[in-house]
Structure formats: structure tokens, C-alpha cells
């Protein structure tokens, strides 16, 4: 889970009854938003305040960074035939413009080496 205010990711175990049990926090990024998991258990994170999509490992180390200068990174998902396509949603906006629905969004498509895991 992305913790926007905490500037990190949080990991939870899913209990048998569907409840969540906090495990730990990891990583450090500014205003993390949408995330997705790959087969190496690394996490792609849309970092809203860094204008970048960042891949971090389970220890929180940055493995890869895709910059989108002047655009706010909002969400990402691994998809495509072999789930090796990273779809990156970003917007030319500010937090105020976003609340006023005054923004210009786009989806960039990037081929990656490690395929997606789990369900989007």
C-alpha cells in the first residue's frame, strides 16, 4: 500500500478472514500514489511529487526510475501479452488544478524486463 502522507510503502499480511495485519514500512519517495508488483516482488510506484515512476525492491532500494518531467505520476500497471508492458498514467497538473478537474492526462507505455505479478 502507498502511504502518501508517510512517503513510503506499507506491507500487510491478509488474514484468513480477509482482515489486514500490518507487517512493515519500506522505501522512501515523495507522495507515492498508484503501485503494482512484479515477479521479483519489486514494486513500481507512481511518485506524484517526483514526476517519476520508481521501481523499488523489498528492502526499499531504488532499482529503476522513469522520469516524466513536468508531469505528475499518478498510477501504473503491468499488462500486455506477457505482462511486460508498464502503463504509466501521468498528468500535467498541480494538486489545485487536479481538484478543479483542470489537467491533461496521458498514458505512456514502456517495455520492462520483469513481468507483472498478482492482479492489477
Amino acid at each position: 500500500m502507498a502511504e502518501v502522507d508517510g512517503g513510503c510503502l506499507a506491507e500487510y499480511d491478509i488474514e484468513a478472514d480477509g482482515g489486514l495485519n500490518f507487517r512493515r514500512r519500506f522505501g522512501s519517495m515523495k507522495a507515492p500514489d498508484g503501485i503494482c508488483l512484479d515477479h521479483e516482488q519489486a514494486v513500481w510506484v507512481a511518485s506524484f511529487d517526483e514526476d517519476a515512476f520508481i521501481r523499488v525492491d523489498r528492502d526499499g532500494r531504488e532499482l529503476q526510475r522513469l522520469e516524466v518531467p513536468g508531469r505528475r505520476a499518478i498510477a501504473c500497471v503491468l499488462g500486455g501479452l506477457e505482462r511486460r508492458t508498464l502503463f504509466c498514467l501521468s498528468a500535467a497538473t498541480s494538486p489545485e488544478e487536479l481538484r478543479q478537474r483542470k489537467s491533461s492526462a496521458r498514458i505512456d507505455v514502456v517495455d520492462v524486463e520483469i513481468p507483472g505479478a498478482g492482479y492489477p
Side-chain angles (χ1 to χ4, degrees), residues 54-75:
I54 305 166
R55 183 174 178 252
V56 296
D57 68 12
R58 292 185 50 88
D59 293 324
R61 289 185 302 254
E62 184 174 316
L63 302 172
Q64 194 171 352
R65 175 179 287 258
L66 302 173
E67 304 276 345
V68 286
R71 303 187 65 78
R72 301 301 184 149
I74 298 172

Side-chain angles (χ1 to χ4, degrees), residues 51-53 66-76 86-93 98 103-110:
D51 298 353
F53 295 89
L66 302 173
E67 304 276 345
V68 286
R71 303 187 65 78
R72 301 301 184 149
I74 298 172
C76 55
L86 183 66
F87 295 89
C88 303
L89 174 64
S90 65
T93 191
L98 196 57
S103 64
S104 170
R106 77 175 186 217
I107 297 174
D108 293 305
V109 178
V110 180

Side-chain angles (χ1 to χ4, degrees), residues 7-96:
C8 64
L9 300 176
E11 183 176 1
Y12 292 83
D13 291 320
I14 301 173
E15 301 295 331
D17 66 359
L20 297 177
N21 185 29
F22 175 75
R23 178 181 272 183
R24 68 188 180 107
R25 288 182 174 82
F26 66 101
S28 177
M29 66 281 305
K30 295 178 183 173
D33 201 348
I35 63 173
C36 62
L37 183 68
D38 71 22
H39 267 286
E40 289 184 348
Q41 295 187 351
V43 181
W44 279 101
V45 183
S47 180
F48 188 84
D49 286 349
E50 293 184 58
D51 298 353
F53 295 89
I54 305 166
R55 183 174 178 252
V56 296
D57 68 12
R58 292 185 50 88
D59 293 324
R61 289 185 302 254
E62 184 174 316
L63 302 172
Q64 194 171 352
R65 175 179 287 258
L66 302 173
E67 304 276 345
V68 286
R71 303 187 65 78
R72 301 301 184 149
I74 298 172
C76 55
V77 65
L78 287 158
L81 292 177
E82 296 180 7
R83 300 205 49 207
R84 292 179 192 270
T85 304
L86 183 66
F87 295 89
C88 303
L89 174 64
S90 65
T93 191
S94 68
E96 296 78 26

